[in-house]
Amino acid sequence: MRHFIYAFVMSCVSVSAWAEVRFSEVASALGAAWLEGQFQQQKTIVGLPLPLISSGRFYVQDNQLRWLTEKPMQSELQFSSQGISQWQKGEKVWQMTAQQQPVIATISQLMLAMMAGQWSTLDQAFQVQAFEQGEGGCWSLVVVSKDPVLSHVVQQLDVAGCERVTDIALHEVSGNVTALNLSALAQGEQ
């Protein structure tokens, strides 16, 4: 569960003027009042011979992210400024509030900021190590955490996309890697 929570935590701040200008252009294109899509997740855990694979849908609206895993089993995570909760078959089975665990507030805020393209929130937590502009407005970057809490868990994030973030690879300090592919994205303007 905890590894999944960190899977979405991403975005960046530039360390050089050229990267800052280029990524600020990318970041300005990421904002949306609502966003939905599908995900494929592959979690490689040190010591396990095969990766764990899951898939489903996600929805972002009204400052809340709903992450619905459909395969291999149905489950829903909800991220908001109040915390994170897990639901199964319409019932809440787990909840961690921002008051109970301050790191939960940080994670929820960063996940929502990443999905909504809120540059100022992301700017406080991440720093760009590498930024590359590709063809057709596509881009890729490598970011590291400036946040002391996250840096104990996240080694680096590899992020790529065009109009929206489509691929995220989270490299944990433990050696575990979570790779996400986001597809069938639909969004509404702010």
Side-chain angles (χ1 to χ4, degrees):
M1 165 65 71
R2 200 165 85 167
H3 299 294
F4 169 83
I5 293 170
Y6 296 112
F8 260 121
V9 180
M10 61 69 60
S11 199
C12 65
V13 169
S14 169
V15 293
S16 66
W18 69 270
E20 185 171 337
V21 169
R22 288 299 200 177
F23 192 73
S24 65
E25 292 171 10
V26 170
S28 68
L30 298 180
W34 60 268
L35 175 70
E36 63 182 59
Q38 298 174 351
F39 72 87
Q40 290 279 118
Q41 178 176 311
Q42 181 172 311
K43 176 77 175 184
T44 304
I45 300 176
V46 174
L48 291 182
L50 297 172
L52 304 174
I53 298 173
S54 61
S55 62
R57 299 195 56 77
F58 66 90
Y59 303 90
V60 178
Q61 188 170 15
D62 299 328
N63 243 359
Q64 183 177 16
L65 167 62
R66 295 178 57 217
W67 187 259
L68 291 84
T69 301
E70 297 168 345
K71 294 180 182 177
M73 58 185 271
Q74 293 186 348
S75 179
E76 178 178 349
L77 287 174
Q78 294 180 1
F79 299 85
S80 71
S81 59
Q82 286 77 41
I84 301 172
S85 58
Q86 182 178 20
W87 298 73
Q88 290 180 337
K89 298 180 182 177
E91 293 186 32
K92 189 184 300 184
V93 295
W94 177 84
Q95 180 174 351
M96 181 67 68
T97 67
Q99 292 78 23
Q100 292 170 315
Q101 186 59 259
V103 70
I104 294 297
T106 301
I107 292 167
S108 286
Q109 289 170 354
L110 292 173
M111 289 181 63
L112 288 166
M114 184 273 303
M115 297 302 288
Q118 297 169 344
W119 173 257
S120 61
T121 301
L122 299 169
D123 183 36
Q124 296 170 19
F126 293 98
Q127 176 176 315
V128 173
Q129 275 193 332
F131 179 85
E132 185 176 313
Q133 185 75 37
E135 294 182 22
C138 296
W139 47 269
S140 63
L141 57 101
V142 176
V143 298
V144 294
S145 176
K146 294 192 298 186
D147 184 288
V149 174
L150 292 178
S151 63
H152 289 312
V153 178
V154 178
Q155 183 177 30
Q156 79 177 44
L157 294 166
D158 303 330
V159 185
C162 293
E163 291 180 15
R164 304 286 311 165
V165 172
T166 57
D167 294 285
I168 303 166
L170 173 103
H171 301 266
E172 298 176 29
V173 173
S174 66
N176 298 338
V177 178
T178 301
L180 290 170
N181 175 262
L182 308 177
S183 62
L185 301 173
Q187 72 182 49
E189 297 304 316
Q190 293 189 33

